[in-house]
Amino acid sequence: QAYVSYSNIAALTHLAAKPGWEITSTLDDIKIWTHEEGDMLSFKVEMHMKIPSHLAFSLLSDFTLRQQWDKHFLTCEVLQAVSEDEKIYYVTSPPMTGHKPRDFVLLVSQRQPCKPSEPYIVAVKSVTLTSMPPSSEYYRSEILCAGFQIYSDNNSSCTVCYFNQVTSGVMPYVAANLTGSSKSIEDTALECVKFLE
């Protein structure tokens, strides 16, 4: 368990540090980058918020609040509080045209910074739970690596970076947006800023 939680944080830190991010969109206080590697597409959304970093961290690390700003989250419940910094959530997503609704079993690991220059981290990945086997009414989806890094700019503002590594399975949801105006990602980012501020 300690390893899984460590690897969750490490995978996000590694993704964030990769060279070769390309900026695809800039909108006021929101920037979107993409990173392609084989059949892996990752994107990064950077948002500037007028709230302290610790507050952004407490709001973003509680996934039960996520439906309030992310329309991809239909329902979200805590299946297991593994530790103070680790929770396993069950999430359902609305169906796309012609598809079944999707569901996820997600491990969310959070870390506070050790030094002021380090970010708060909320890392997300799919896990398998015997108590939550896939059901026929949902398409069980997988998140390889996603999450937030929250950097403090000063006492009253912070920079939130959201990362998501996408495999071909999730592609239909984002492909249409990435080629065009990254509209869906931008909309979600704007909702996130509005909710946090």
Side-chain angles (χ1 to χ4, degrees):
Q1 207 167 331
Y3 169 73
V4 170
S5 122
Y6 169 76
S7 69
N8 197 9
I9 299 277
L12 182 65
T13 306
H14 177 69
L15 177 62
K18 279 188 176 182
W21 285 94
E22 290 178 20
I23 192 153
T24 58
S25 158
T26 312
L27 177 89
D28 303 334
D29 286 340
I30 297 169
K31 294 191 183 84
I32 299 174
W33 278 268
T34 54
H35 188 286
E36 286 184 64
E37 207 172 348
D39 65 347
M40 285 290 182
L41 175 72
S42 305
F43 60 87
K44 165 179 156 183
V45 184
E46 185 183 294
M47 305 165 269
H48 292 281
M49 314 263 185
K50 296 177 187 62
I51 61 167
S53 52
H54 65 86
L55 183 56
F57 174 66
S58 77
L59 290 168
L60 290 172
S61 57
D62 182 352
F63 267 44
T64 57
L65 299 172
R66 183 91 176 235
Q67 294 123 280
Q68 295 183 37
W69 59 269
D70 189 343
K71 63 180 185 308
H72 302 99
F73 274 56
L74 253 191
T75 64
C76 177
E77 58 177 301
V78 178
L79 289 177
Q80 214 176 325
V82 185
S83 69
E84 207 177 303
D85 291 331
E86 239 78 46
K87 285 193 181 75
I88 296 175
Y89 292 90
Y90 177 67
V91 173
T92 63
S93 277
M96 293 283 281
T97 322
H99 292 276
K100 284 198 272 194
R102 295 180 305 151
D103 67 350
F104 301 85
V105 177
L106 301 177
L107 170 71
V108 178
S109 313
Q110 56 189 71
R111 291 285 177 281
Q112 308 224 11
C114 303
K115 300 198 281 286
S117 60
E118 293 177 356
Y120 287 88
I121 295 177
V122 181
V124 185
K125 69 185 271 187
S126 287
V127 289
T128 310
L129 265 196
T130 42
S131 59
M132 279 308 277
S135 80
S136 57
E137 55 191 293
Y138 289 98
Y139 173 71
R140 175 62 53 90
S141 291
E142 190 183 358
I143 289 181
L144 290 182
C145 173
F148 299 94
Q149 285 189 338
I150 304 157
Y151 289 89
S152 181
D153 296 335
N154 55 44
N155 291 338
S156 60
S157 70
C158 64
T159 299
V160 174
C161 295
Y162 172 70
F163 295 89
N164 200 341
Q165 195 171 41
V166 180
T167 54
S168 42
V170 195
M171 276 314 290
Y173 290 81
V174 286
N177 301 307
L178 282 173
T179 47
S181 62
S182 318
K183 190 83 183 83
S184 149
I185 299 172
E186 276 175 6
D187 289 347
T188 304
L190 286 167
E191 287 300 317
C192 179
V193 174
K194 206 155 65 178
F195 167 71
L196 289 178
E197 291 187 342

